[in-house]
Amino acid sequence: YYYYCHISLYYSLMRYSSPFIALLISTCHLVSFFFLLFFFLMIRRPPRSTLSSSSAASDVYKRQYQRRVRGVWIEMEELGLCRPIGIRETPSLRYNNLSSGTDTLVYTHKNQVWQIAHPIPICPDPAPERISYNERAHVIQAKMCVFPDGTELLALGVEGGLQIWNAATKMKLHSYQLGGSSKAPLATSRGITAIANDQGNFVAFGTSEGIILVFKVTGKDVTLDTQLDNHEGANITDLTTDLLDPSRMASSDVSGKIIVWSTPSFEKECVFAATGELCSSLKMKGTLVLSAHATGCIRIMNRETGVVVVEIGGHSRIINAMDVHPTADLFVTVGEDTYLNMWTLPSDSAEEIRLVMNERLANRQLCGVQFCGKGKGTNSVLVAAFDCNTLFHLTRDE
């Protein structure tokens, strides 16, 4: 098209003007054409000095870029404050996808359950071991249930049912199928906790139908003891037990409604009304009830007075997991915004919450967190990230 315009212009000038003027204008027109063509090619094809993806200089640049992005974590690793632990399968992107027992932790990967020992100085890089769950149904949640008498169980919430295993022998003790039909999807189980009172040991499961199933465990015998239906059909998202009193339980659902239960009668002790914000993680310690929400909000409530003590915007995206320190007034949260935050709990001596640890794991969606070792001097946490073959062991710098 440009060539056609140039010829037309040349013949027009030759007809209505002198040949010299026609030649001069045509020459300028051609120079501008080649200049535009050269400029267009320079934009489309960068100069050869640009780093290619396979050049050695590009590799150096990438490492420098990654070091800038992960600068805090590299410094922490060099100081011994962050240690990666290799795992075989990556954790699934589910709420609370890391659970701690006496000596081990568990997480889920699709229809697999993996167990790994707590990292200790003698064995800082423990090897993961797969639990012999060989069914096709995906595991929604795996929870280590530790009772005061030393009994330790592994509870699994799966698609269409739930299971209870002996954590020591890795043998399945009980399997329970949830309702479902051809017109409705299979019910699932999410939210698991251990309860202990004068009548024995119990394991409670939340379901997508809004019902809480409580099973009594006596040795190898497991029986359904109680069904609680007070969440009005809302999907149960999490269950928890009071760290100081294992006979008290709390439950939450997708609407944000939270109920505190007292056992063995399973009467409602306190109810916090629904807020419309999904509660992804729930913890309880003494009179304090902690809830983490899909909006990134953290609420701390008093179960005795029934009022919200503190409400903070802890994360910019959904909070996937939360854990409370067994002895100190600390709790930790992780979310899909790639951040781990450790906070102080309000107490009689200090009512305000302080952020004592804030670390970023770049480009990782964090889906699980647990304090390592349930001893008195615990000052480190283990973090699980979606689609990452590494668990991150972080030590708080006192």
Side-chain angles (χ1 to χ4, degrees):
Y1 176 77
Y2 196 93
Y3 179 77
Y4 174 79
C5 293
H6 175 74
I7 296 299
S8 301
L9 177 64
Y10 179 78
Y11 278 103
S12 298
L13 291 173
M14 286 289 293
R15 184 174 180 180
Y16 299 105
S17 182
S18 64
F20 176 77
I21 295 177
L23 181 62
L24 179 63
I25 295 177
S26 298
T27 303
C28 295
H29 200 253
L30 282 174
V31 170
S32 64
F33 168 75
F34 285 113
F35 176 81
L36 290 175
L37 180 63
F38 174 78
F39 184 76
F40 175 77
L41 292 177
M42 285 297 294
I43 293 177
R44 291 296 302 272
R45 183 181 183 277
R48 293 184 179 179
S49 60
T50 301
L51 295 176
S52 65
S53 59
S54 59
S55 66
S58 178
D59 293 338
V60 173
Y61 173 79
K62 288 177 182 177
R63 288 196 296 270
Q64 292 175 347
Y65 175 77
Q66 292 173 356
R67 186 175 181 88
R68 288 198 299 271
V69 173
R70 297 178 58 250
V72 174
W73 287 91
I74 290 176
E75 291 175 3
M76 289 185 64
E77 188 171 343
E78 291 173 350
L79 294 173
L81 301 179
C82 173
R83 183 181 182 85
I85 300 174
I87 53 178
R88 297 181 185 177
E89 296 292 349
T90 64
S92 299
L93 187 58
R94 303 188 187 277
Y95 317 142
N96 309 301
N97 195 4
L98 189 64
S99 178
S100 176
T102 305
D103 300 311
T104 60
L105 301 104
V106 293
Y107 70 91
T108 68
H109 168 77
K110 296 182 179 179
N111 63 336
Q112 302 174 15
V113 182
W114 288 86
Q115 185 179 49
I116 186 170
H118 281 282
I120 57 177
I122 300 177
C123 182
D125 297 309
E129 177 186 3
R130 182 178 176 181
I131 302 296
S132 56
Y133 171 85
N134 298 315
E135 300 180 19
R136 297 182 61 182
H138 282 202
V139 183
I140 307 299
Q141 185 179 3
K143 182 69 174 290
M144 297 295 294
C145 298
V146 182
F147 297 93
D149 61 2
T151 303
E152 192 165 3
L153 302 174
L154 171 61
L156 305 179
V158 302
E159 294 176 334
L162 53 92
Q163 297 182 7
I164 298 177
W165 294 59
N166 186 305
T169 62
K170 297 180 177 60
M171 297 294 293
K172 183 166 63 175
L173 302 178
H174 187 72
S175 179
Y176 185 88
Q177 296 298 318
L178 297 175
S181 64
S182 58
K183 298 182 180 180
L186 283 175
T188 58
S189 176
R190 186 197 300 275
I192 307 170
T193 193
I195 306 169
N197 52 43
D198 297 337
Q199 296 185 4
N201 297 333
F202 300 83
V203 180
F205 293 83
T207 68
S208 58
E209 299 172 331
I211 300 174
I212 301 173
L213 304 175
V214 183
F215 294 84
K216 185 175 183 179
V217 182
T218 306
K220 295 182 179 180
D221 297 328
V222 180
T223 57
L224 180 60
D225 183 80
T226 307
Q227 296 189 39
L228 306 174
D229 188 8
N230 292 87
H231 280 272
E232 302 173 355
N235 192 332
I236 304 297
T237 54
D238 201 12
L239 301 178
T240 189
T241 304
D242 189 348
L243 283 176
L244 305 181
D245 183 4
S247 67
R248 183 176 287 110
M249 178 185 74
S251 59
S252 63
D253 59 35
V254 292
S255 68
K257 182 179 180 179
I258 298 172
I259 303 177
V260 180
W261 308 83
S262 60
T263 67
S265 60
F266 287 101
E267 295 180 354
K268 290 187 290 185
E269 183 178 328
C270 181
V271 178
F272 296 95
T275 59
E277 301 174 2
L278 182 148
C279 179
S280 55
S281 191
L282 187 67
K283 295 294 177 184
M284 184 163 50
K285 187 175 183 180
T287 60
L288 299 179
V289 180
L290 293 80
S291 63
H293 297 266
T295 57
C297 174
I298 302 171
R299 291 189 179 92
I300 300 179
M301 298 152 284
N302 189 306
R303 62 172 177 80
E304 292 183 344
T305 61
V307 299
V308 178
V309 179
V310 177
E311 181 174 347
I312 55 175
H315 293 260
S316 61
R317 297 184 67 182
I318 179 173
I319 301 174
N320 279 330
M322 175 172 58
D323 193 26
V324 178
H325 196 285
T327 55
D329 290 331
L330 296 171
F331 71 99
V332 61
T333 57
V334 295
E336 291 187 15
D337 60 356
T338 73
Y339 278 93
L340 174 144
N341 292 329
M342 189 179 295
W343 316 79
T344 60
L345 279 172
S347 60
D348 296 336
S349 58
E351 296 183 356
E352 295 184 356
I353 288 182
R354 293 186 300 106
L355 182 65
V356 296
M357 186 176 182
N358 172 251
E359 301 299 342
R360 180 178 183 237
L361 182 53
N363 304 320
R364 298 299 181 191
Q365 292 178 300
L366 309 182
C367 58
V369 64
Q370 290 284 290
F371 282 99
C372 291
K374 298 301 181 181
K376 186 176 180 179
T378 299
N379 63 345
S380 62
V381 295
L382 205 65
V383 182
F386 168 64
D387 198 25
C388 178
N389 289 100
T390 303
L391 296 179
F392 296 92
H393 185 201
L394 286 81
T395 302
R396 181 191 172 198
D397 187 10
E398 302 289 352

